[in-house]
Amino acid sequence: MKLSELGEFGLIQRIQKLSSRRAPGVVVGIGDDAAALNVSSSALQLATTDMLIEGVHFDLSFTDYFSLGWKSAAANLSDIAAMGGLPRFCLTSLALPPRISVEHISEFYSGFSELLATHKTVLAGGDTCSSRNDFIISVTVLGEVKKNRMVTRAGAKAGDKVYVTNTLGDSAAGLELLKNRGKGPGARVQGSEIKKLIERHLRPVPRVEWGRKIALSGCASAMIDVSDGLSSDLSHICVQSNVGAVVYSGKIPFSKALFRSAGSLKKTPLHYALSGGEDYELLFTTPPAKIKRLLSLNIPVTEIGEIARTGGLIIVDDKNRGRRLKPTGYNHFSRSALRSR
Ligand code: ADP
Ligand code: MG
């Protein structure tokens, strides 16, 4: 069978079936933002790892090494944030082709360390080897979370409201601008707007403090970070929680920069939010009784929908028309992902 027939998420499910066994130490295994392991009486150890491959996750013709280092850290810190955890240690492994210089690696680690330092997370090891062609990065972050405060993807209940932090879609629009570089759609987007959107793509901010605050307050029943696009990431919550969800397109929050650039970009802000990904905002569900407490945390959150007992994902437009929302976010091995390489 071809990988494109199974898709990334189908493949992960198959690996899960083939190799994971129930063990008392594994509180959360394959299928969430990070694994949660029982290593002490009061806290759980969180572990997450991500690979970034040149030509798949980043393009060195428009990504500087500082930003690449920053983003490699951000993607993993964001997974710890999505569990409500505190990042502590990290490991980095690099496969380096001959054209990458010592100066490039120094820049990479400047960006990496700058973001790590903000979150008091320490680089504790890794691995370095040579590669024939592509630059490959693997980052692992270890963190911790109080036992009864962890938030997983499984826990959303019918009637819970769906919330998202800050705004969605900027990162994907920024990527489009970088790819076009002054030509084609987006060429007329103004300087300050371009800067904001591109910055959100190259130097995303993991919402570690917000994730911890939300988790410690006990307001969230389920949580995930938006790394693959709203449609895919909400679908992960629905599958893991065994529920459906309704999202109102008119409620999805967009930045001013995205709104102002929308006219000259190829796609709508809604498209970037649903299918784009790499926003690294938090998407979570809150029972109605806890909304007041959530709003008192002073985190920029927007209610965008609600959880239903069943029915998959439905998106309702401004005219109150509903349609089924397919998870169209990034999926390695999907035909379009393979074509774009
Ligand atoms: P995220 O987008 O949050 O990084 P992923 O989609 O990469 O999440 O992973 C989802 C889940 O699948 C995680 O629990 C991860 O540890 C697990 N996973 C992904 N690939 C593999 C693999 N090759 N072997 C075992 N587990 C995997
Ligand atoms: Mg994640």
Coordinates of all heavy atoms in Angstrom, one line a residue, residues 33 78-79 82 153 224-225 227, ligand 2:
D33 N -0.4 15.7 21.9 CA 0.7 16.6 21.6 C 2.0 16.2 22.2 O 3.1 16.4 21.6 CB 0.4 18.0 22.1 CG -0.8 18.6 21.3 OD1 -0.6 18.8 20.1 OD2 -1.9 18.8 21.9
S78 N 5.6 24.4 21.8 CA 4.2 24.6 21.7 C 3.4 23.3 22.0 O 2.3 23.3 22.6 CB 3.9 24.9 20.2 OG 2.5 25.1 20.0
D79 N 4.0 22.1 21.7 CA 3.4 20.8 22.1 C 3.3 20.7 23.6 O 2.4 20.1 24.2 CB 4.1 19.7 21.5 CG 3.7 19.4 20.0 OD1 2.5 19.7 19.7 OD2 4.5 19.0 19.2
A82 N 0.6 22.8 24.9 CA -0.8 22.3 24.6 C -1.2 21.3 25.6 O -2.4 20.9 25.7 CB -0.8 21.7 23.2
R153 N -5.9 15.9 24.5 CA -6.9 16.1 23.4 C -8.2 15.4 23.7 O -9.2 15.7 23.0 CB -6.3 15.5 22.1 CG -5.0 16.2 21.6 CD -4.5 15.5 20.3 NE -3.3 16.2 19.9 CZ -2.5 15.8 18.8 NH1 -3.0 14.8 18.1 NH2 -1.5 16.4 18.5
I224 N -5.2 21.5 22.3 CA -4.2 21.1 21.3 C -3.6 22.4 20.8 O -4.2 23.5 20.9 CB -4.9 20.3 20.1 CG1 -3.9 19.7 19.1 CG2 -5.9 21.2 19.3 CD1 -4.5 18.7 18.1
D225 N -2.4 22.3 20.2 CA -1.9 23.5 19.5 C -2.2 23.5 18.0 O -2.3 22.4 17.4 CB -0.4 23.7 19.8 CG 0.5 22.6 19.1 OD1 0.0 21.4 19.1 OD2 1.6 22.9 18.6
S227 N -1.0 23.4 14.9 CA 0.2 23.2 14.1 C -0.2 22.8 12.6 O 0.6 23.1 11.7 CB 1.1 22.2 14.7 OG 0.5 21.0 15.0
Ligands
MG2 MG 0.8 19.5 18.7

